[in-house]
């Protein structure tokens, strides 16, 4: 993916380009020029060309590895499997880091959909096998990925044009907190280092269907609240919330329980939730 390199060059008054190889004028095919020379004022020959991979993420073969202790894995697997049911054939979808990245593993084998990433990727596949990882092929979460037939790479600005133009059908994100009216907080915990807010704010305001996956509580603290206490990613943006206890929708901005997990009662969910919620008259079992 090309990230924001070309865009930064266009915006700069003085742009320095570090190149692994410097060739004579005319040696590059014109169709392979990503950034025309008019945007470059200084050219530097690179000496250290080692490309480091921040998060080497490898395929585990047929085994799907869900992180966490056994009791945590069971909760997360229930959430992930339920989120997989939100995907429809032919969709373009964007997946956040964490549990959402595992969702495609639980879709029907014959279902076709296309993954999109904010860092300039459309149509990518599973994690690479050991030894085949490429530092130039990573997703927005810095994980190594592979390309598939039909994949394309482009600047990050093109990714955001797809998102802001409502061309992405579904986004599945993790959450730190969700409010009773569908506000989402998921990009920062004050005081903790974060590299940036990523694309979540654009994704939740794009008009795409927004599904949030998260554990219902954190160390006994409520994560579903009357109002978010953490910085908000977007207001009134959550279409569906999936936890290990149930599934919530937000008709007219009001949190409503529409599915309940096996061996869980409505009273159990009330005790674990920091706000009142309605219960659908057609409450279904979460599967």
């Amino acid at each position: 993916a090309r990230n924001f390199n070309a865009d930064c060059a266009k915006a700069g008054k003085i742009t320095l380009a570090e190149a692994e190889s410097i060739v004579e004028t005319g040696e590059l095919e014109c169709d392979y020029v990503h950034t025309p020379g008019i945007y470059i004022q200084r050219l530097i020959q690179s000496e250290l060309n080692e490309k480091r991979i921040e998060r080497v993420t490898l395929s585990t073969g047929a085994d799907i590895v869900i992180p966490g202790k056994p009791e945590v894995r069971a909760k997360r697997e229930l959430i992930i499997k339920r989120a997989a049911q939100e995907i429809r054939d032919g969709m373009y979808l964007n997946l956040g880091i964490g549990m959402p990245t595992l969702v495609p593993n639980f879709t029907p084998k014959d279902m076709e959909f296309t993954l999109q990433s904010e860092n300039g990727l459309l149509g990518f596949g599973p994690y690479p096998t050991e030894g085949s990882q490429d530092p130039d092929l990573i997703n927005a979460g810095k994980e190594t990925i592979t390309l598939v037939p039909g994949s394309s790479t482009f600047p990050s600005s093109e990714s955001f044009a797809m998102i802001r133009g409502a061309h992405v059908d579904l986004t599945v994100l993790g959450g730190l907190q969700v409010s009773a009216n569908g506000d989402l907080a998921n990009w920062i915990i004050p005081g903790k280092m974060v590299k940036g807010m990523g694309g979540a704010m654009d994704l939740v305001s794009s008009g795409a269907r927004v599904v949030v996956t998260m554990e219902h509580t954190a160390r006994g603290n409520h994560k579903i609240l009357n109002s978010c206490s953490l910085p908000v990613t977007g207001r009134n943006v959550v279409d569906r919330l999936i936890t290990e206890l149930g599934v919530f929708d937000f008709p007219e901005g009001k949190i409503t329980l529409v599915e309940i997990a096996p061996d869980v009662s409505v009273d159990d969910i009330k005790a674990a939730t920091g706000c009142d919620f309605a219960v659908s008259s057609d409450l279904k079992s979460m599967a």
Side-chain angles (χ1 to χ4, degrees), residues 65-82:
V65 178
I66 298 173
K69 295 179 180 179
E71 63 273 16
V72 174
R73 288 200 299 269
K75 292 179 183 179
R76 291 175 178 173
E77 183 172 347
L78 180 64
I79 295 168
I80 294 165
K81 285 182 174 179
R82 179 57 188 83

Side-chain angles (χ1 to χ4, degrees), residues 16-40:
L16 287 74
E18 184 180 36
E20 294 180 15
S21 300
I22 299 176
V23 300
E24 294 296 326
T25 300
E27 286 191 34
L28 294 176
E29 293 285 343
C30 61
D31 288 340
Y32 295 131
V33 175
H34 299 144
T35 309
I38 193 171
Y39 298 117
I40 308 297

Side-chain angles (χ1 to χ4, degrees), residues 55-286:
R55 297 186 65 189
V56 177
T57 315
L58 302 174
S59 171
T60 55
D63 297 326
I64 301 169
V65 178
I66 298 173
K69 295 179 180 179
E71 63 273 16
V72 174
R73 288 200 299 269
K75 292 179 183 179
R76 291 175 178 173
E77 183 172 347
L78 180 64
I79 295 168
I80 294 165
K81 285 182 174 179
R82 179 57 188 83
Q85 298 175 36
E86 299 296 311
I87 300 176
R88 301 290 182 268
D89 202 55
M91 272 187 167
Y92 289 97
L93 59 145
N94 185 294
L95 304 176
I97 61 175
M99 284 192 287
T101 62
L102 297 172
V103 169
N105 294 294
F106 295 94
T107 57
K109 297 298 182 184
D110 60 348
M111 181 178 286
E112 294 185 3
F113 50 85
T114 303
L115 299 177
Q116 192 263 10
S117 182
E118 302 98 295
N119 64 318
L121 287 168
L122 184 66
F124 55 95
Y127 298 133
T129 54
E130 177 70 56
S132 67
Q133 62 267 28
D134 184 337
D136 286 325
L137 295 179
I138 60 171
N139 61 22
K142 309 292 187 183
E143 298 172 326
T144 46
I145 51 93
T146 56
L147 299 182
V148 296
S151 296
S152 56
T153 63
F154 35 81
S156 291
S157 55
E158 193 76 37
S159 287
F160 282 93
M162 296 172 184
I163 294 167
R164 294 171 183 174
H167 299 286
V168 176
D169 301 301
L170 171 69
T171 182
V172 183
L173 300 168
L176 296 172
Q177 293 178 343
V178 172
S179 76
N181 66 336
D183 295 348
L184 170 65
N186 78 339
W187 75 275
I188 191 172
I189 297 176
K192 290 198 173 184
M193 188 184 76
V194 61
K195 293 185 177 181
M197 63 190 67
M201 292 185 181
D202 292 88
L203 286 161
V204 300
S205 61
S206 68
R209 179 169 172 78
V210 175
V211 174
V212 174
T213 57
M214 70 179 192
E215 293 173 43
H216 207 97
T217 60
R219 300 182 182 89
N221 296 316
H222 293 148
K223 296 174 69 175
I224 307 173
L225 307 161
N226 281 312
S227 60
C228 296
S229 59
L230 295 173
V232 171
T233 307
R235 298 194 181 278
N236 304 106
V237 294
V238 180
D239 293 299
R240 174 159 285 181
L241 169 63
I242 302 172
T243 79
E244 76 276 14
L245 300 184
V247 178
F248 297 86
D249 285 346
F250 296 81
E252 299 180 352
K254 297 178 181 178
I255 187 169
T256 303
L257 180 68
V258 296
E259 295 180 24
I260 189 168
D263 303 318
V264 173
S265 70
V266 173
D267 285 338
D268 291 333
I269 299 176
K270 287 181 177 179
T273 306
C275 64
D276 293 333
F277 57 84
V279 178
S280 171
S281 58
D282 186 27
L283 184 64
K284 294 181 171 60
S285 177
M286 180 180 171

